Every structure is written in C-alpha cells, then in structure tokens.
Amino acid sequence: MIIVKNFSNYKKFIVFIIFVILSSILFSYLFSNKFPNIIDNQNNMIFENINFGNGPLILNLINNGEYSSKFFNNLDFVLQKLPVLPLLIFSISKLTINFYLIVIIKNLITFSILFWIIIFYLKSHKLSSNYSFFYFLIFLIPYNLFVSLNFEYADNIVAILLPCLFLVLLSNLNQKYALSAFIIFILYLTKTSMFFVCTIIPFIILLFEKKKKFKFKKNLIFLGPLIAMLCWGIFSYIKTDRVAFGTNSLTVNSLGLTLASDKRFFQYYPDKSMDLLLGKIIIPKSLKSEWDIFDYFKKKNKKYFANKDNLINYIKTIPKKILIILFHIKRDSSHPDENGNYDNKIRYSLIFNKLFINISICLSLFYIIISIKRKKIYKDDFIFATILGMSLLPLVAGWATAKHLVPVSILCYYYLVHKYLIIKQLSSSS
C-alpha cells in the first residue's frame, strides 16, 4: 500500500498493464508448450485447433466471413456458440495472427475494463484507489489467472464481466445503469448460463433501487437484455428461420440436458470429461439441421421427464451437484492418459475459491436475515445473492466444472472485499 501511495491512477494502470502483458506472455508460452498444435513454426495461431467448438467457427469467419461451423453429423451449425468470444478473437485476427499478440490484446481489452471499473467504483464510494490492490489479489491464485487469461472458452470473459457488473451495480456512479446495461448485453451474448443473471437482475434493481437520482435512470438497465435478445433472435431468424431465445439460445442446449439427466452422469462427473459421455450419445443420421437435433433431444427430454421416477432421480442428483460446487477441490473433466489413468489430484487454487464461495454465502445470508428482521434493506447483499444464485442455477441444473466456477469465485471474493471496505468506512466515519 505504501509503494503505490503516491501513484496516480494512470501510473497504476501502466503497472497493471505491464503485469497483464507479462502474465499473458507466460500463459501463452506455457499453453503453446502443452498444446503445440495451437501454433505453427512462425508462432501464428492455428485457429481451427482452438477447442470448445470455437476454432472451426472462427476459422470460417476468417476464411469465408460466415458465422457457422460443422458440428454433429457434419451439419452446419449457426447457433452452436454465442458470438462475443468468437467475434472478439476474429476481430483481433484482423490485426495480427501471432498467437502471443492475440492473447495479449484480448487480455489488455478485458483486464483494462476491470481495472477502470474498480477505480471508478472506489471513487464513487470516496475510497482510495489504493484499495484496488485488494481486488487484484484474487488473480494471484494461479487457476483464476489461468482461466481469465484464456482465449478458448467464454468463461474467461465472464470471469471479468460478472464481477464488473456487481461492482457497477454497487457503485454510486451517475451512469451506472447505462454501463450495467452494456455489461449485461455482453454477458447475455457470451454464455447461456448468464441468461438468468441478465434477465432477473434488472427486476431486482427496479425493486430495491430507491435513490431519487436513479428513479428514471434505473430503467436503462432493461435495455441490456432486451437489445441482446432482439439482436440474437433476429440473427437466428435470418440465418435459420427460427428465433433463438433464452435458455434455448443455442441449438445444443437440449443435448446438454440429455447429458445432465443421463443415468451414467456420475460415472463421469466430476472427475472425467463430459465429452466422454457425449461420445456415447447417439445422434440419428436422419436429422438434417441443427434445429432437427435440438427438437429431437427436446422431445426426448420431455418424454424422459414425463416419467415420474426419472424426474425424481434427476432431482436427487441436485444435492450432490451442490456439494461438488461448494466443496470439490480436485481436478475435474480429465481425459485418460495413454494408460487409461485420470489426473484428479488436488488443485490447491480451488481451496481458496471454495472458501470464498462458502464464506460469502454465509455472510450474505446473515446480512439478509438481519435486514429482514430490521425491515431495512441492505441492497448490496440482495444484489450479490441474486447474481450468485442466478449464476449457479444453470450449473446446478446441468453441471459445474472448475472453470465454470472461477467467475463465481471472483464475484464472491469481491463481495467480501466490498463488505470489508464499506464496514471499515462506516466505522471510521462514526
């Protein structure tokens, strides 16, 4: 704290950016050594080898300008992936195809957003910007930094923007609801698990925001999900003649529920990759489009859950999935090595993350109970509980891996820091 005492915010930003660049270089070096098929001999990114379904989509954007990729049964899928991450990597590829530079630029964009939102949040509460140090400590946990620096899956963007949304909503910025609408717009188009956060939070704000200066401005937050729904719905209608909406924003979502309700689910989850179970799911060759596949598994799920015993068995899996979210600290989603063994050793980063999740849940419930008894609303606790609950809801319905929980862990850590700083501020002023 003494070291940065006389630093202006711009000097702090420069130091922060240097840290992001060096971390990105280290990440890129380690990643390319572990997965050498991601780069060629000139260190250029081989886009088609990007995992999690994003690679072929990005490559098709680069080569043909088409937002589609081959997926099940070699069919063209337009609605396999939400657009934010693929479009971000595609846009950067217009500047450079060097693997290191792509990772650096992507992280400069995301982490710069985080830096300035933290600074503006602290300023709005009349807190020293030196406290930003506390917020950046979470990235000293290796796994949190690894996920946030990553470029292959959408969780790296959610890990930055979900905590940003929380800080903006708890700030006293005059334009916080316009800014939060923009963040919600991006989140909605980043990952389908953000659907409930993006649609429920505006109503929580409408209910709990009582300050006169935000009487009309708070309604701006509804523009975020509304515009995002319109954009994606219109795009899907133009491309596929059907409107994609909500939890059905992607045509692979019904297959996800089929996996989550499969009787072999816990033979794989959490230790083994769910891709192994996916490989055992039969997709009829007669299905000729992505919507055919979506409808096929939707009907299959409806028939499955129409059986009362199946529904009860699925519901019985929920407590175990919650326990995994709260307490599982071993490596998950592993693929077997050449000898058929799985790497499920303890991931020590997760110990800290699970502590943040559990402590923040207990603390927020404590304050919510107190506020109910006192009939005095503590808005920050209700906002946190809503964002946390709505983030976890799809993961409980489906499944949560360690990388899915990094955004939640950072959110929980930020809540704890927020409570500490606000309580400290109140005690010092009394």
Side-chain angles (χ1 to χ4, degrees):
M1 296 292 288
I2 296 174
I3 294 175
V4 298
K5 185 174 181 180
N6 297 317
F7 269 31
S8 69
N9 289 334
Y10 291 104
K11 289 180 181 178
K12 290 172 191 169
F13 181 59
I14 291 171
V15 173
F16 180 74
I17 286 302
I18 292 172
F19 170 78
V20 171
I21 292 173
L22 293 177
S23 299
S24 298
I25 292 172
L26 178 61
F27 166 84
S28 300
Y29 174 77
L30 295 174
F31 190 94
S32 60
N33 273 273
K34 186 174 182 179
F35 305 104
N37 67 333
I38 198 66
I39 58 173
D40 62 19
N41 294 331
Q42 286 76 45
N43 287 326
N44 293 324
M45 181 177 283
I46 302 176
F47 293 95
E48 63 184 317
N49 290 336
I50 296 175
N51 288 314
F52 301 97
N54 285 305
L57 174 57
I58 295 169
L59 184 65
N60 200 26
L61 278 168
I62 293 171
N63 291 339
N64 307 308
E66 288 289 332
Y67 190 92
S68 66
S69 59
K70 299 291 183 182
F71 203 42
F72 296 122
N73 294 349
N74 204 34
L75 296 173
D76 286 321
F77 271 68
V78 175
L79 306 175
Q80 182 208 349
K81 290 291 178 181
L82 286 173
V84 170
L85 179 61
L87 290 182
L88 176 60
I89 302 300
F90 167 67
S91 298
I92 297 172
S93 74
K94 292 295 184 180
L95 302 174
T96 178
I97 60 173
N98 180 275
F99 173 69
Y100 285 81
L101 289 178
I102 289 174
V103 174
I104 289 170
I105 293 170
K106 175 250 147 189
N107 290 327
L108 286 177
I109 293 171
T110 56
F111 277 90
S112 293
I113 293 171
L114 177 65
F115 178 90
W116 288 111
I117 281 181
I118 290 172
I119 295 298
F120 292 143
Y121 154 83
L122 291 170
K123 185 178 179 180
S124 75
H125 285 290
K126 298 179 180 178
L127 292 165
S128 170
S129 62
N130 292 337
Y131 286 121
S132 61
F133 173 78
F134 289 122
Y135 288 94
F136 301 139
L137 282 178
I138 188 70
F139 296 105
L140 294 182
I141 297 175
Y143 191 67
N144 294 341
L145 184 61
F146 171 82
V147 170
S148 302
L149 293 173
N150 210 294
F151 63 95
E152 290 194 304
Y153 41 73
D155 303 274
N156 77 79
I157 294 176
V158 179
I160 299 295
L161 290 188
L162 189 67
C164 282
L165 175 64
F166 174 69
L167 293 180
V168 169
L169 291 176
L170 267 57
S171 73
N172 289 314
L173 295 168
N174 288 328
Q175 302 303 323
K176 69 176 184 176
Y177 290 119
L179 182 55
S180 60
F182 177 72
I183 295 173
I184 287 174
F185 172 82
I186 299 298
L187 282 173
Y188 185 97
L189 295 175
T190 298
K191 199 169 175 67
T192 54
S193 62
M194 290 290 101
F195 172 76
F196 294 107
V197 171
C198 295
T199 54
I200 300 300
I201 273 294
F203 291 98
I204 296 297
I205 295 302
L206 189 67
L207 183 63
F208 289 109
E209 181 56 81
K210 302 298 182 183
K211 290 184 179 180
K212 288 184 178 180
K213 70 174 183 176
F214 295 124
K215 183 177 180 180
F216 298 107
K217 288 182 178 180
K218 66 182 179 182
N219 295 301
L220 290 172
I221 195 172
F222 284 93
L223 292 177
L226 286 175
I227 295 174
M229 289 176 194
L230 280 172
C231 289
W232 190 243
I234 292 171
F235 172 77
S236 69
Y237 184 76
I238 291 172
K239 292 293 186 179
T240 68
D241 292 326
R242 282 176 62 171
V243 174
F245 170 75
T247 54
N248 296 331
S249 292
L250 300 179
T251 47
V252 294
N253 284 353
S254 58
L255 175 56
L257 182 56
T258 300
L259 289 174
S261 57
D262 193 286
K263 293 179 179 178
R264 298 164 292 182
F265 180 78
F266 284 116
Q267 294 177 23
Y268 295 85
Y269 179 74
D271 294 334
K272 303 174 185 178
S273 172
M274 292 302 292
D275 289 341
L276 300 174
L277 178 57
L278 176 61
K280 297 182 180 297
I281 302 296
I282 298 173
I283 301 176
K285 297 290 185 181
S286 59
L287 303 177
K288 300 302 181 182
S289 74
E290 59 183 311
W291 281 115
D292 286 346
I293 291 176
F294 174 84
D295 293 335
Y296 171 80
F297 284 105
K298 185 176 181 179
K299 290 176 183 176
K300 186 176 181 179
N301 294 334
K302 186 176 181 180
K303 182 179 179 181
Y304 181 83
F305 288 115
N307 183 302
K308 186 178 179 181
D309 291 336
N310 290 336
L311 180 60
I312 291 172
N313 288 333
Y314 171 74
I315 293 173
K316 284 181 179 179
T317 67
I318 292 176
K320 186 173 180 179
K321 287 190 280 189
I322 292 174
L323 289 175
I324 289 170
I325 288 172
L326 295 178
F327 302 112
H328 191 268
I329 58 172
K330 292 184 177 181
R331 292 176 181 269
D332 57 17
S333 304
S334 295
H335 287 267
D337 59 21
E338 60 273 11
N339 298 317
N341 299 316
Y342 293 86
D343 181 8
N344 297 123
K345 295 190 286 289
I346 290 176
R347 178 173 269 145
Y348 292 97
S349 293
L350 299 185
I351 297 175
F352 295 99
N353 284 353
K354 301 298 180 178
L355 283 172
F356 297 144
I357 293 173
N358 283 280
I359 294 172
S360 64
I361 289 174
C362 293
L363 188 65
S364 62
L365 287 175
F366 171 76
Y367 278 105
I368 287 172
I369 291 170
I370 287 179
S371 69
I372 292 172
K373 287 183 177 179
R374 294 180 179 177
K375 297 181 179 179
K376 181 181 178 181
I377 300 300
Y378 296 155
K379 185 175 63 175
D380 55 350
D381 302 297
F382 280 93
I383 290 174
F384 166 74
T386 301
I387 296 178
L388 178 62
M390 294 302 100
S391 297
L392 292 178
L393 181 60
L395 302 181
V396 172
W399 63 89
T401 64
K403 68 181 177 65
H404 294 148
L405 293 173
V406 166
V408 170
S409 302
I410 297 173
L411 168 71
C412 292
Y413 173 78
Y414 279 15
Y415 168 75
L416 295 174
V417 175
H418 166 80
K419 294 302 288 187
Y420 167 76
L421 292 179
I422 295 302
I423 292 171
K424 184 176 183 294
Q425 185 184 49
L426 289 174
S427 62
S428 62
S429 61
S430 61

